[in-house]
Structures are given as structure tokens and as C-alpha cells.
Amino acid sequence: MPATRGGAVIAAVYAPAGALACWSLGRTLWEGLAEPGIALAFGVLIAVGELVGWGPAPAAGGGRAPGEREGAPLGAAGALAYALLGEAGGRPTTHGVPQTVAVVLAAGLVGLVPQIARGRGPALDHLARRMLTIGFAATCFQPLYNTGTLGTWVASGPVYPLFMTGLMALTALCDAVLAAVLARARTGWPYGPLLRDELRALPGIGSAICATGVVISLATAVAGLWALPVFCLPLLLTQFAYRRFAAVRTTYRQTMASLARSTEIAGYTPHGHARRVAALSRAVGRELGLNEPDLDVLEYAALMHDIGQLSLLDPVPDGATSPLPPAEQRRIALLGGAVVRQTGVPAEVAAIVERQADPYRDQPVTARIVRTVNAYDDLSGESAGPGGSLRALERLRLATAQDHEPRVVEALARVLACGGRAV
């Protein structure tokens, strides 16, 4: 996606979020703060959730961990609970939509300061999403509750639980769409896979956030503000567990990268070859629409694709195995797959490494990507000289009849044209 178009998309999201924020703040300042104690309690909860929710930045080039779909789940649950709050301790609340958005905005700004200080990513995207989704939930709930319409529905049957479930589903869907739109605008990656990844994460942390928000609002209606710390504790513990998992995942990727460098240290492959192939393979896979789990498998396989060369008595020039006899290429690939199976990575990673010597028509798309990107890096190395990258891409296009899938080669060309080495 061109930078100008991406900027227009981001502006199209920021504009309604900014308008909603200004209207909410203006109305709240003009009319005064209703139930200030309740507003302060939920504001503190949201701010604390924002502050404790952000872990270390993910590794460059890597995918997002499960908890990173929503960087501050406790803050999201608290904001959602305030948007769905109709009573507190048995007494009706009157804060309405403008005050809900204003409190969420103020608490979000408090949580935004440390992120700006740390130089974390586009934190304003997170705040804009939060404003729009909470504004949507509050608009759907507060007027109906305050006018007694929901009370009438509850009296006539089990409509209230269905209404709450449907509202939560629509709110989560809106947030997923906004997240995918902003990610598309920021990165230029295909929208479809981004949206699928967001939707795939909803049954996990997304459902926990929605359920916790509803439980907090219902419990506060009966027990008062004491319900906030009691019902937030499970989600807080889950949040810390996700952060631990994300840290383990990052360490695992670093371990894999260190193991992949063994061929470079031993002199079998050029310096940085495995890292370049892994990064470029992930970009090509994303261009082709692979989802996050497949991209992780692809990255690991690209890192380890040359590990079988350690069985050679003498390194081949520049680490390129294509001039070797097919039987030798097959032996290296099978040995590499056997080594990869001992590392504990998913079996799909070893299968990709083992099938590097197969005809590309018999390979899965992930193996085809590694094959093509590996060949590109071999052909465009330092020895290729000026213009070597463009010549390498042209040679790949000429070899699409037998060695490389045309769709993968063209995806590689698009990735390179958007900022790769062959620009």
C-alpha cells in the first residue's frame, strides 16, 4: 500500500476517534462528572490495566504472541465494564456515553505516556481503536438501559443475556476490523490474512476480555465497587501468563537463530544468510496471504534450511547447493530435517527442510518460498556485484518452468519493490 494511501486510511480512523473524544470531553466538562467516585474507580482500573499490560517489544521481524493481540487486556475489560455499567451497588448510574468515552480517554492517555517514553510502536492506534469500540458499546447499551428498554426486555424473557452476548460479539468484531485496517495501513500487508489472524485470536484473549467486562459490570451492579479487584484478578493472572509465554517464545526464536548461525560460523554459508532468508521468506509468505502460525513455521524452516550442510567435508562455494548432484542435495536436505526434528520445533518445520530438494510442484507453498528466497539470496550476494539483485530476480523468473513457482517469484518481486534489496 502506498504511503499516501496508508496515511489516508489512518486519518480516516483517527478523524472519527478524535471527533468522538472532543465531543465527549466537551459534554462531560459542560455537564459535570456524574458519580465521580465510580468514574475515578474505573478510571484507575483502566489506567492500571494500560500500564501493566504492555510487555517488552516483540522481536523484529517476528509475529505477535497471543497476548499481543490486545496489549492491555485488563484495561480493555475495565473500559468495557464501564460502558456496560447500568447500576452500582443496586443504585442506577447516569454517566451515559460522553462520560464513558471521556473516562476511557483520560485513563488511556495516562497509560500512553510510558509507551511514548519507551519508543513503542504506534500507540495512538491502540487508543483510537479503544475510543471507537468503547464508544460503540456504550452507544448500544447506555441509552437503552437508561430509558428502561432493557428492563422491559428482561422482564419479558431471556433477551438480556442474548443482547449482551451479541453486543460483545459486535464490539469484538469492530475492534478486529479496525486493528486489521490500521495494520494494513502501517505495513502494506494483505488485509485478508491480517483480519483472519485478528478473528482467530478472538476466541482466546478476546473472549476472556469480553467475559470479564460483562462479569465486572454485573457484579458491580450488585456488590458495588468491591467487585472490581475481585473479578479483575483472574484476567490479571492470565495477562501475566501471556507475557511469560511471549517471553519464552522470543527466547525460543533467538535460540533457533543462534543454532542456524552454526553453518555461518563453520564457514559453510555466508554471514547473515539464514537471517536474510528468514526475514525475506516471512515477508513473501505474508504477501501470499499465509496466517501467523504458518508464518512462524516458515520463519523457523528458513532459519534452519542449510543446517544439513554441516555433513559436507568441504563447504560449497557461497553455500549454494544447487550445483551439487540431485542425490547429494537430497541427502543434505534429509539430514537437515533429521537435525531439525531434534530441536523440538513443530514437525512441519522439519518437513519443509527435508523437501527442499524435491521438485517445486511436489512441495508445499512454504517449502517453495524458502527454496526461491534461498536461491535469490545466493544469486544476489556480494559476489554478484552492482545490479546483482535485479539479475538474480530475472534468473529466477527464467527458471519458473522447472525450479521455482511463478506465483512465489512474483510475490518476492513485489516485496523487493516495496523496500527490499532489489529496489
Side-chain angles (χ1 to χ4, degrees):
M1 176 180 292
T4 54
R5 184 180 175 187
V9 172
I10 295 173
V13 175
Y14 279 18
L20 178 61
C22 293
W23 173 76
S24 300
L25 287 174
R27 283 285 300 274
T28 302
L29 292 174
W30 178 262
E31 297 176 356
L33 199 63
E35 296 100 18
I38 298 175
L40 178 61
F42 275 92
V44 170
L45 172 63
I46 298 169
V48 170
E50 296 286 346
L51 291 171
V52 304
W54 296 88
R64 287 179 291 182
E68 294 168 357
R69 296 292 173 191
E70 170 54 64
L74 183 59
L80 191 59
Y82 193 54
L84 303 180
L85 186 66
E87 295 182 3
R91 297 180 179 179
T93 59
T94 59
H95 53 278
V97 177
Q99 182 170 314
T100 299
V101 176
V103 170
V104 172
L105 173 61
L109 290 174
V110 172
L112 188 66
V113 173
Q115 309 315 315
I116 297 177
R118 297 175 188 174
R120 287 291 301 266
L124 287 177
D125 289 0
H126 165 79
L127 186 59
R129 285 169 47 199
R130 180 65 52 78
M131 296 291 298
L132 293 174
T133 53
I134 295 303
F136 170 79
T139 301
C140 292
F141 178 84
Q142 292 291 334
L144 291 176
Y145 192 94
N146 293 334
T147 57
T149 304
L150 286 182
T152 303
W153 290 353
V154 171
S156 62
V159 181
Y160 185 73
L162 295 178
F163 173 80
M164 297 292 283
T165 302
L167 180 56
M168 292 302 94
L170 287 176
T171 302
L173 179 61
C174 290
D175 186 65
V177 170
L178 286 173
V181 166
L182 289 171
R184 163 70 172 166
R186 294 285 182 185
T187 64
W189 296 337
Y191 177 76
L194 290 171
L195 180 59
R196 286 198 300 270
D197 287 333
E198 296 294 339
L199 294 177
R200 189 177 290 109
L202 291 182
I205 190 65
S207 61
I209 292 172
C210 291
T212 303
V214 172
V215 169
I216 291 175
S217 66
L218 296 177
T220 304
V222 176
L225 297 178
W226 289 106
L228 269 63
V230 173
F231 289 95
C232 286
L233 184 59
L235 185 59
L236 184 61
L237 296 177
T238 302
Q239 180 173 321
F240 285 133
Y242 270 122
R243 291 180 63 179
R244 290 285 298 273
F245 177 78
V248 171
R249 187 170 178 265
T250 300
T251 302
Y252 185 72
R253 178 180 283 108
Q254 293 171 347
T255 302
M256 293 291 295
S258 299
L259 181 60
R261 289 190 64 241
S262 60
T263 57
E264 302 173 13
I265 296 173
Y268 285 86
T269 56
H271 177 72
H273 172 73
R275 176 180 52 80
R276 292 192 300 271
V277 172
L280 195 52
S281 293
R282 191 177 186 100
V284 172
R286 195 178 290 279
E287 178 69 22
L288 290 173
L290 299 186
N291 56 35
E292 286 289 340
D294 289 339
L295 290 175
D296 288 339
V297 169
L298 175 62
E299 181 181 5
Y300 292 148
L303 283 171
M304 304 294 291
H305 74 279
D306 275 331
I307 199 71
Q309 290 198 38
L310 294 175
S311 65
L312 298 174
L313 294 178
D314 297 308
V316 296
D318 295 325
T321 57
S322 54
L324 297 177
E328 183 68 4
Q329 294 182 37
R330 179 68 175 167
R331 186 188 70 83
I332 293 173
L334 290 175
L335 181 60
V339 173
V340 172
R341 291 184 187 278
Q342 304 302 315
T343 63
V345 298
E348 296 91 334
V349 177
I352 295 173
V353 175
E354 289 173 342
R355 302 186 67 178
Q356 284 302 293
D358 293 353
Y360 86 80
R361 292 178 177 84
D362 298 333
Q363 295 175 329
V365 64
T366 46
R368 298 178 188 183
I369 293 172
V370 175
R371 179 195 191 104
T372 299
V373 174
N374 177 51
Y376 169 79
D377 195 77
D378 288 340
L379 295 171
S380 62
E382 295 180 358
S383 59
S389 299
L390 293 175
R391 289 195 299 271
L393 193 58
E394 186 62 26
R395 289 181 62 180
L396 293 179
R397 287 191 170 114
L398 294 175
T400 52
Q402 293 182 343
D403 297 328
H404 303 284
E405 183 183 3
R407 185 170 64 107
V408 175
V409 174
E410 293 310 312
L412 172 63
R414 291 193 298 272
V415 169
L416 295 171
C418 292
R421 296 191 299 160
V423 176

